Amino acid sequence: MSTPTEVAVPKEHEGTREISLAQAVNEALAEELRRDPTVVLIGEDVAEAGTPFKVTSGLVEEFGPERVLDSPISEAGITGIGLGASMTGMRPVVDIMFGDFLTLVMDQVANQAAKVHYMSGGRLKAPLTVRTTLGATRRSAAQHSQSLHAWVSHVPGLKVALPSTPYDAKGLLKTAIRDDSPVVFFEDKMMFAVKGPVPDDEYTIPFGAADVKRDGEDVTIVATSSMVYVALEAAERLAEEGVSAEVVDPRTLVPLDRKTLVASAKKTGRVIVVDEGHRSYGASAELAAAIAEDAFYWLDAPVRRAAAMDVPVPFSPVLEDETVPTPDLIVEISRSLLGKA
Amino acid sequence: MSTPTEVAVPKEHEGTREISLAQAVNEALAEELRRDPTVVLIGEDVAEAGTPFKVTSGLVEEFGPERVLDSPISEAGITGIGLGASMTGMRPVVDIMFGDFLTLVMDQVANQAAKVHYMSGGRLKAPLTVRTTLGATRRSAAQHSQSLHAWVSHVPGLKVALPSTPYDAKGLLKTAIRDDSPVVFFEDKMMFAVKGPVPDDEYTIPFGAADVKRDGEDVTIVATSSMVYVALEAAERLAEEGVSAEVVDPRTLVPLDRKTLVASAKKTGRVIVVDEGHRSYGASAELAAAIAEDAFYWLDAPVRRAAAMDVPVPFSPVLEDETVPTPDLIVEISRSLLGKA
Amino acid sequence: MATEAVPAAEIGAELALRMYEQMQRIRSFEEQVDQLYRSAKMPGLAHLYVGEEAVAVGVCEALRRDDYITSTHRGHGHCLAKGASVDRMFCELLGKEEGYCRGKGGSMHIADHENGNLGANAIVAGSTGIATGAAFSAKARGTDQVAVCFFGEGALGQGVLYEVMNMAALWKLPVVYVCENNSYNEYTHFSETTAGDIAARPAAFGVPVEEVDGQDARAVYAATHRAVERARRGDGPSFLVCETYRYYGHHVGDVDRAYYRSKEEEEQWKAERDPLQILGAWIVEHGFAEEGELERIARDVEAEVAAAAEHAQDAPFPDPREVNEDVYAD
Amino acid sequence: MATEAVPAAEIGAELALRMYEQMQRIRSFEEQVDQLYRSAKMPGLAHLYVGEEAVAVGVCEALRRDDYITSTHRGHGHCLAKGASVDRMFCELLGKEEGYCRGKGGSMHIADHENGNLGANAIVAGSTGIATGAAFSAKARGTDQVAVCFFGEGALGQGVLYEVMNMAALWKLPVVYVCENNSYNEYTHFSETTAGDIAARPAAFGVPVEEVDGQDARAVYAATHRAVERARRGDGPSFLVCETYRYYGHHVGDVDRAYYRSKEEEEQWKAERDPLQILGAWIVEHGFAEEGELERIARDVEAEVAAAAEHAQDAPFPDPREVNEDVYAD
Ligand SMILES: Cc1ncc(C[n+]2csc(CCOP(=O)(O)OP(=O)(O)O)c2C)c(N)n1
Ligand SMILES: Cc1ncc(C[n+]2csc(CCOP(=O)(O)OP(=O)(O)O)c2C)c(N)n1
Ligand SMILES: [Mg+2]
Ligand SMILES: [Mg+2]
């Protein structure tokens, strides 16, 4: 992942602090645990260890082992227990250490949590939050580097958030926990150390509201999660070439703020979608297809996709680095879209 | 699902018979069990019961309980066992009764089977075939009606086939079993009774070869699995209106025969993608995006998608029938594409 | 269903007759469902509970209304035993608006949250996590509610059951796992799919087990009562293995069963271990009621069920526009 | 690694010294890995096997080259014990072309099919299905090969383990499940995650269990030998619970461990239950070799390991264009 370019926080907030994305997530969890006694956190090594990423450090000390629970290595089991608790008055946050382990909870998430409200004719609800990770380039190889957000985004009944900044992460996670529907929340494990401004005062960010991370006129770069930084860096470089790129972050894939994406596409007439999931049958396909559907007559060129290569993530750095979108690639695609290549 | 229109078999075959898709699958399994002693069939009620769909009837009688095994209700376990056997000299076919239960085998399929060959630097292989179902309108409700082929199509290392005719089903399943990579094979449970011509002589059908089920000039309808019949019926009706629709069946989503799809799109300039998976983040998004990428300058209108509604599949017939694409819908979309609406 | 759980000791006339009536209600309901299927008046399929009535009723009579249950694809009996009304159930089975799920769930997904039924489930063992989580919730919220998890012996093949039992034992959750062993996983005898001894499994995860005659409502009631008391006391989970039998096929369409079980076996269970006969005989023997009284109960229940089925057939379908409502809770 | 399995009775000089050398090789290898990490010469992380050497070596010495093993995230020891060469392993850990997986697998995915190692696995319990399937295959193909499935006690939390053990017992598959109980699931003591008694679990699924001192290579060898004989005879699966300990952190980056285990505990295991010391003492005691001889083995192995590490650092990376090769086998 490339180093972040500064991303601003909406005016309305008074003071702000620079904190890491990990701290922002930690604050969101702490604040919700504080304000709502029905919130609990369940996961492997989430208590004393604070997770391998140290994201939940300090929570068990403040809220105790009844509300911050170290679980056995039973992803399906803890997700099922979180679901049952959510159906009976609790708002559990289940921690799935690596997004790759979603493979183990798809039944609980897709067949159970996603469908409970609908199948019961609206009588039962499942305010469950599943926190997990995505992202490669950590030299963790094929089973610890996947970005599987497309799977859950394909399941009606689930909401899906993938924040790119500490500000978005905190505001969206608080919204996720308070949401009455199940939410799958993705954090890029390479972004935990990324710092950014976060308001001193309390706030939440609504789902379904894309955020324009940078205004531009010539080309639209729709980017998710850490790919926002790749897009912003590409935009910087393009600026030097006199190309004005707009960077749009959907922030939630479900619900999707189609309006903002399409508006930007209509404005610039050229679109690149950047996502770290595999290219084929991935989230980038839906974003590209949706934009092409609604902005077709405004497009000067086909919507282009930049996504993870369609290969299992290799271990060797020289190979792994080939598999993810880079600022160079985005710049190159932008040039070709503008007929400058 | 609508009643099938006659679909022809390539000339090269001498005699043909009319058999059901269930019989075609049964013949493919029987022939491969006969020719290759390393082929085994493992699944719930696949032996004496012949599966709830009676697709494997007679196999245990011919090949015995060592090669046609009734398993416990352990989808993850049998898929893992099938995988291990495939890595050590066997060619197992694992039967996952309903496609909805793929939720339980995603770790074995996506983290294990799909990655074994790559992670081992090409030294291990996993010639495993996972047979399962897709398709709604059987009044089976939300957990027995899903079409989850988009999930596995998103995983590099897996091949994905979804035949629409008895001829394709037999030829593609034989190819799947002989393939040295893991294959997930989808059969629409509403198509098992559909009859069609199947050659008397032995044959296989290569992966990655789309089939033009009907030639046309004005609009291209790319349809998968049982949606091919919906498309063919729509094409019939359109013909009456003087509209010539081409129906293209990819037959395998991975590998995808992009060339044939794009060629048809360039010819007609108007494309509808019809798939029974949910619309959002589904297979139809990839097909639409791929065509829009390669045929953009030939398209007179945006590629349109017709897919399952983004809701869990409801039980009540009056509701369920609202959720799947129909010939009426395809005709309507075609008209609007042709400016006739 | 009991509002206050009655101590195991005194299974008096009231409880015994209520159990008899509930079992009769389930049987009549299911036979009606079979009729609806045969006369092509019900969409889809259904898995009948006939023969297993004593399990659902014996268990649910030992529960309070605010206790939770989770159910299975063979869930009509659990739903009725926990207090559901036959008319709204028929409406759900026929996909009508008045159904418990407004027709969106159907036979395999009926839920009745007012009576603590968190829903039937079409995934084998699919609700084991939900039930265990409901128990987690009861404990976390400081109530003394208990959760009962019903499943067939086929669910012993699903790993998630062991994952959640392990946590239920570790965290002393108030959950009672009720395994309805009717000997068959669909069309395969459980001995072909289940190694070792069933009772040893929960025990190995620190969950106390009791083996119960699932055809004797009083035995099921008493065993459940013990397990529920234990759970309310904060002593954690229990596991009941109830030996039972389904009289009909795996589902209403499974009529030719000779290839997987013999007519003799079926007849023997019906003749020697019918739960209604067993409880009925005990009731008469103890002078709690006379044959005639039991026959009257049966007639009344049948009339109630017939009327409800009629009502459901005449009831309106939901408005098709409801199809995309209730996907999200907000 | 033995080509012909030696009967448990006669653990003579040759076997004892070979086991000692192999354990020494694993320890030197892992200490070298730690150095590479600390000096930032290795990409990513690694889970060291130091302290657990007797398990991998005791087990693999009782296997034939054509027997299978599946391994875990903590798999270097298994891989070496089954016959892998240190240089190709270092190359894999550094992502070099010469590595066992041409750099595509890395530490958590090393596979060495020529020696029957079907691969390490980064999913806890992720290879339990594979190992059981390899045993299924051996039986189906009519060979007398055996499959060994290594996993940590944390894998007891994964349901799939119970699913496959059930089938291994039902189908009498030649598989030996080897549970390496080092007391910790990452940073959590197993007593907080594991209800009941570990040994009771496989037993409940009809799989015979033996509890073994995982620090005593001879004991592990003997127990494995019994299990393997049983499997080759066609008598089905077995389960070994090996009590052991990891000297280092969960992974190379886990250096501050005080919050989850005490320095005293670590020191005690190293001082009193070190597998090399235990086997070394036994060898000397029985006059199979003198201290000097053992020291020589250690020196030779260290030199071999150091040279291999050097070689790996100089070895070339794969051509970046290989990135999209090997996705499909055809
Ligand atoms: C995970 C899963 N696998 C397979 C099925 C298909 N199926 C439905 S019921 C059933 C048998 C269940 O047997 P058991 O648990 O004993 O319940 P019973 O039908 O005997 O009441 C099977 C295999 C399913 N619904 N879910
Ligand atoms: C399914 C799954 N969940 C979580 C993890 C993260 N993880 C890696 S190792 C580990 C602990 C494993 O403990 P154990 O099985 O006892 O093996 P040990 O590390 O002690 O050798 C965990 C939780 C994983 N790799 N896979
Ligand atoms: Mg059963
Ligand atoms: Mg451990």
Side-chain angles (χ1 to χ4, degrees), chain D residues 221-284:
Chain D
Y221 170 83
T224 308
H225 197 276
R226 286 187 287 276
V228 168
E229 284 305 299
R230 197 182 126 73
R232 291 206 208 284
R233 273 203 311 275
D235 293 344
S238 309
F239 193 106
L240 305 182
V241 185
C242 302
E243 201 189 48
T244 184
Y245 199 78
R246 60 165 161 81
Y247 290 179
Y248 285 77
H250 170 60
H251 58 61
V252 286
D254 172 29
V255 285
D256 304 323
R257 303 185 283 275
Y259 72 89
Y260 73 89
R261 71 183 198 185
S262 70
K263 198 117 209 65
E264 295 64 45
E265 180 183 285
E266 295 185 356
E267 291 316 317
Q268 194 173 5
W269 276 86
K270 293 180 193 171
E272 298 167 17
R273 302 192 54 187
D274 182 67
L276 277 157
Q277 278 176 32
I278 291 170
L279 183 61
W282 184 84
I283 287 172
V284 173

Side-chain angles (χ1 to χ4, degrees), chain B residues 329-340:
Chain B
L329 175 68
I330 308 307
V331 167
E332 184 190 310
I333 297 175
S334 306
R335 289 204 193 110
S336 75
L337 278 174
L338 291 150
K340 296 191 168 201

Side-chain angles (χ1 to χ4, degrees), chain A residues 54-105:
Chain A
K54 301 296 170 203
V55 173
T56 60
S57 301
L59 297 180
V60 72
E61 289 74 8
E62 177 175 355
F63 303 100
E66 271 70 39
R67 297 187 63 198
V68 180
L69 292 91
D70 274 336
S71 78
I73 306 171
S74 307
E75 284 75 10
I78 59 177
T79 306
I81 287 173
L83 170 59
S86 78
M87 291 164 63
T88 53
M90 310 285 291
R91 291 189 176 276
V93 178
V94 171
D95 185 296
I96 299 299
M97 199 182 289
F98 284 80
D100 309 71
F101 312 154
L102 284 175
T103 53
L104 296 159
V105 304

Side-chain angles (χ1 to χ4, degrees), chain D:
Chain D
M1 195 193 57
T3 328
E4 268 312 307
V6 187
E10 10 168 305
I11 296 185
E14 188 196 344
L15 173 57
L17 284 165
R18 191 168 57 231
M19 292 203 291
Y20 188 86
E21 179 179 329
Q22 279 289 62
M23 296 201 299
Q24 188 65 63
R25 182 169 284 110
I26 293 169
R27 181 158 302 185
S28 303
F29 182 89
E30 296 292 59
E31 278 162 354
Q32 184 64 245
V33 171
D34 192 49
Q35 286 310 314
L36 290 168
Y37 170 77
R38 290 157 176 278
S39 52
K41 288 176 179 147
M42 179 181 71
L45 299 168
H47 307 79
L48 305 182
Y49 199 68
V50 176
E52 309 191 12
E53 298 90 347
V55 181
V57 172
V59 167
C60 291
E61 284 300 328
L63 299 178
R64 294 195 317 234
R65 183 165 192 222
D66 69 339
D67 288 327
Y68 300 109
I69 68 164
T70 63
S71 172
T72 69
H73 58 283
R74 197 175 303 288
H76 305 165
H78 310 136
C79 194
L80 286 166
K82 195 66 171 64
S85 75
V86 288
D87 51 0
R88 289 184 64 192
M89 281 186 64
F90 276 125
C91 284
E92 189 58 38
L93 265 57
L94 299 187
K96 302 303 181 76
E97 176 175 8
E98 215 183 293
Y100 275 102
C101 310
R102 303 186 66 82
K104 280 176 171 154
S107 167
M108 291 201 291
H109 301 290
I110 298 189
D112 172 15
H113 73 303
E114 281 135 26
N115 287 307
N117 179 352
L118 298 176
N121 207 300
I123 301 297
V124 166
S127 67
T128 55
I130 294 170
T132 308
F136 175 94
S137 167
K139 186 177 184 188
R141 288 178 293 106
T143 76
D144 68 345
Q145 291 163 289
V146 169
V148 165
C149 182
F150 286 103
F151 51 86
E153 86 291 341
L156 295 167
Q158 291 287 319
V160 69
L161 171 64
Y162 306 99
E163 295 188 10
V164 297
M165 282 202 295
N166 181 49
M167 286 182 271
L170 285 169
W171 300 339
K172 285 195 177 302
L173 303 181
V175 54
V176 181
Y177 299 98
V178 177
C179 177
E180 301 176 310
N181 182 7
N182 62 10
S183 288
Y184 294 91
N185 303 182
E186 276 190 353
Y187 318 107
T188 301
H189 195 271
F190 86 107
S191 59
E192 292 172 43
T193 62
T194 319
D197 166 26
I198 290 181
R201 295 187 181 190
F205 290 82
V207 179
V209 189
E210 202 173 322
E211 291 178 282
V212 188
D213 175 356
Q215 305 309 84
D216 179 348
R218 297 180 302 118
V220 174
Y221 170 83
T224 308
H225 197 276
R226 286 187 287 276
V228 168
E229 284 305 299
R230 197 182 126 73
R232 291 206 208 284
R233 273 203 311 275
D235 293 344
S238 309
F239 193 106
L240 305 182
V241 185
C242 302
E243 201 189 48
T244 184
Y245 199 78
R246 60 165 161 81
Y247 290 179
Y248 285 77
H250 170 60
H251 58 61
V252 286
D254 172 29
V255 285
D256 304 323
R257 303 185 283 275
Y259 72 89
Y260 73 89
R261 71 183 198 185
S262 70
K263 198 117 209 65
E264 295 64 45
E265 180 183 285
E266 295 185 356
E267 291 316 317
Q268 194 173 5
W269 276 86
K270 293 180 193 171
E272 298 167 17
R273 302 192 54 187
D274 182 67
L276 277 157
Q277 278 176 32
I278 291 170
L279 183 61
W282 184 84
I283 287 172
V284 173
E285 187 184 305
H286 286 63
F288 289 149
E290 283 152 12
E291 276 300 344
E293 167 74 356
L294 300 183
E295 284 157 18
R296 194 189 51 67
I297 292 177
R299 274 198 310 279
D300 294 354
V301 166
E302 259 162 47
E304 171 196 353
V305 165
E310 276 307 318
H311 169 78
Q313 290 174 67
D314 303 338
F317 282 106
D319 180 333
R321 281 167 307 190
E322 284 190 25
V323 66
N324 48 21
E325 292 173 9
D326 304 324
V327 178
Y328 295 97
D330 26 39

Side-chain angles (χ1 to χ4, degrees), chain C residues 69 132 135 173 187 201 210:
Chain C
I69 68 165
T132 309
L173 303 181
Y187 318 107
R201 295 188 181 189
E210 201 172 326

Side-chain angles (χ1 to χ4, degrees), chain B residues 45 73-75 143-144 315-316, chain C residues 95 103 109 122 157-158 186 188:
Chain B
D45 293 306
I73 306 171
S74 307
E75 284 76 10
Q143 294 174 340
H144 278 61
F315 166 71
S316 187
Chain C
H109 301 291
Q158 291 286 318
E186 275 190 357
T188 301

